[in-house]
Amino acid sequence: MILANAFCLFFFLGTGADPVVSAKSNHCLDAAKACNLNDNCKKLRSSYISICNREISSTERCNRRKCHKALRQFFDRVPSEYTYRMLFCSCQDQACAERRRQTILPSCSYEDKEKPNCLDLRTLCRIDHLCRSRLADFHANCRASYRTLTSCPADNYQACLGSYAGMIGFDMTPNYVDSNPTGIVVSPWCNCRGSGNQEEECEKFLRDFTENPCLRNAIQAFGNGTDVNMSPKGPSFPATQAPRVEKIPSLPDDLSDSTSLGTSVITTCTSIQEQGLKANNSKELSMCFTELTTNISPGSKKVIKFYSGSSRARLSAALMALPLLMPTLAL
């Protein structure tokens, strides 16, 4: 109990954040909790965390090859409704932004003792056919376009986000460069030192990540919930429209509305549970282990029709009463 209390106190005092404000604004923590409610997401996330945190020796902090493989499995096999929320969550404070940066365990999967030249890293990526394909997808789908409203090709945010996520787990793995909650800058772990007469090409390649308006707008739009593709040549309404939902009566107070959208979040501390600390029954710490509760995800077209059963019952009753009415009608 003392250890858990100390952890909560350290988190909020160390970051300089107000507990109430941080609890409401840490969407990256909420995304991790939502992942833990899905068996597949929780399993594959726990797997890559375990592998990427496993120290090999005093000189080798982890097995990067195995860490990359586990990350690829996570982003390839878990639905984007979970992975994107963890990777592109919006932040209002540094604690949230640091959690977002730590999503891919950068000390193993991203950082190294020295930064290689970006062109050398690109050459290494192109040797692997899958990495080469993912990098080509990124350039195609996140290429800055000044003929569209969003700066993305065909105003397609989702294609850019998918291409970015698809590069994680390779030598060209990108990540957030710092914990700035507002200024979003991502980059592979490389620089352009020693480029010689190819410095201009190297800088251009690096700017495709660090100064890419399409990628930046796509990440911000997803975090803000405004990632709806808009096309200047199309109709005046968003290309992705919310499904029409049949108007139905309110449910009784003792039943939950299974068609409602959104999430309920109540949390005060970061995930102590993820750190392996044992929960206790104290009232003050009970909020530290509050799990995120999610309902049916947006886009569900399921509609509950309450009157179909009662209509059949009325029809059945009428048919049963018909023989009784026939003598009367004959008279």
Side-chain angles (χ1 to χ4, degrees):
M1 178 177 179
I2 296 176
L3 183 60
N5 275 296
F7 182 89
C8 284
L9 184 61
F10 171 81
F11 174 77
F12 289 117
L13 293 182
T15 60
D18 180 75
V20 177
V21 174
S22 295
K24 292 181 179 180
S25 63
N26 198 330
H27 300 300
C28 298
L29 175 59
D30 301 338
K33 288 172 177 279
C35 176
N36 286 338
L37 292 179
N38 178 273
D39 291 338
N40 188 45
C41 186
K42 181 179 180 180
K43 177 183 176 181
L44 292 175
R45 178 170 176 258
S46 298
S47 176
Y48 86 71
I49 288 176
S50 174
I51 293 172
C52 298
N53 274 329
R54 190 176 301 154
E55 186 175 299
I56 304 300
S57 65
S58 57
T59 58
E60 191 176 4
R61 54 188 166 189
C62 69
N63 188 320
R64 175 171 287 196
R65 182 181 61 82
K66 290 184 177 180
C67 177
H68 278 176
K69 181 179 179 181
L71 279 168
R72 290 198 302 269
Q73 290 178 339
F74 176 75
F75 284 101
D76 289 346
R77 299 180 183 180
V78 176
S80 60
E81 64 183 284
Y82 297 105
T83 58
Y84 284 15
R85 286 183 62 188
M86 296 174 61
L87 202 56
F88 307 123
C89 43
S90 64
C91 289
Q92 299 176 5
D93 56 54
Q94 189 174 355
C96 174
E98 177 60 18
R99 173 176 280 274
R100 179 176 62 190
R101 192 184 74 85
Q102 290 289 338
T103 297
I104 64 170
L105 279 297
S107 62
C108 180
S109 67
Y110 177 67
E111 300 165 0
D112 209 342
K113 295 178 181 178
E114 295 182 0
K115 285 187 175 182
N117 180 274
C118 291
L119 296 183
D120 292 341
L121 193 64
R122 184 181 67 179
T123 300
L124 189 63
C125 173
R126 287 175 173 176
I127 294 175
D128 181 279
H129 73 280
L130 188 54
C131 184
R132 181 174 66 248
S133 174
R134 298 288 178 94
L135 181 59
D137 285 343
F138 172 79
H139 284 304
N141 295 320
C142 295
R143 181 184 70 256
S145 173
Y146 299 99
R147 297 183 179 181
T148 60
L149 293 176
T150 62
S151 297
C152 285
D155 290 308
N156 194 338
Y157 280 154
Q158 291 296 320
C160 181
L161 295 180
S163 297
Y164 175 91
M167 294 181 61
I168 296 175
F170 294 93
D171 292 318
M172 193 59 71
T173 294
N175 196 31
Y176 299 92
V177 299
D178 55 33
S179 300
N180 187 336
T182 55
I184 296 177
V185 180
V186 298
S187 172
W189 183 260
C190 65
N191 57 38
C192 289
R193 295 175 185 172
S195 297
N197 58 4
Q198 292 183 303
E199 185 172 358
E200 184 177 348
E201 180 183 354
C202 181
E203 293 288 352
K204 182 179 182 299
F205 173 79
L206 187 57
R207 284 196 299 270
D208 286 343
F209 294 89
T210 59
E211 300 177 20
N212 188 325
C214 169
L215 179 59
R216 182 179 62 250
N217 292 342
I219 293 175
Q220 290 177 335
F222 183 89
N224 296 332
T226 58
D227 56 326
V228 178
N229 293 338
M230 297 290 292
S231 174
K233 298 180 182 179
S236 59
F237 50 83
T240 304
Q241 301 183 48
R244 296 184 63 182
V245 180
E246 180 178 333
K247 187 176 181 181
I248 57 177
S250 302
L251 292 175
D253 293 337
D254 58 343
L255 294 178
S256 60
D257 185 356
S258 61
T259 61
S260 62
L261 304 177
T263 58
S264 58
V265 181
I266 305 175
T267 177
T268 312
C269 303
T270 56
S271 51
I272 297 178
Q273 198 170 20
E274 297 177 9
Q275 303 296 327
L277 301 180
K278 185 177 181 181
N280 57 67
N281 296 324
S282 66
K283 182 178 180 181
E284 293 79 5
L285 286 179
S286 62
M287 294 180 68
C288 294
F289 304 96
T290 303
E291 292 292 345
L292 180 70
T293 319
T294 57
N295 296 315
I296 293 178
S297 61
S300 172
K301 296 184 179 180
K302 182 179 179 181
V303 178
I304 301 175
K305 297 184 179 181
F306 291 94
Y307 301 116
S308 59
S310 59
S311 298
R312 287 194 295 269
R314 289 194 295 269
L315 179 60
S316 177
L319 291 176
M320 292 177 63
L322 187 59
L324 300 176
L325 295 175
M326 291 299 293
T328 306
L329 294 174
L331 293 175

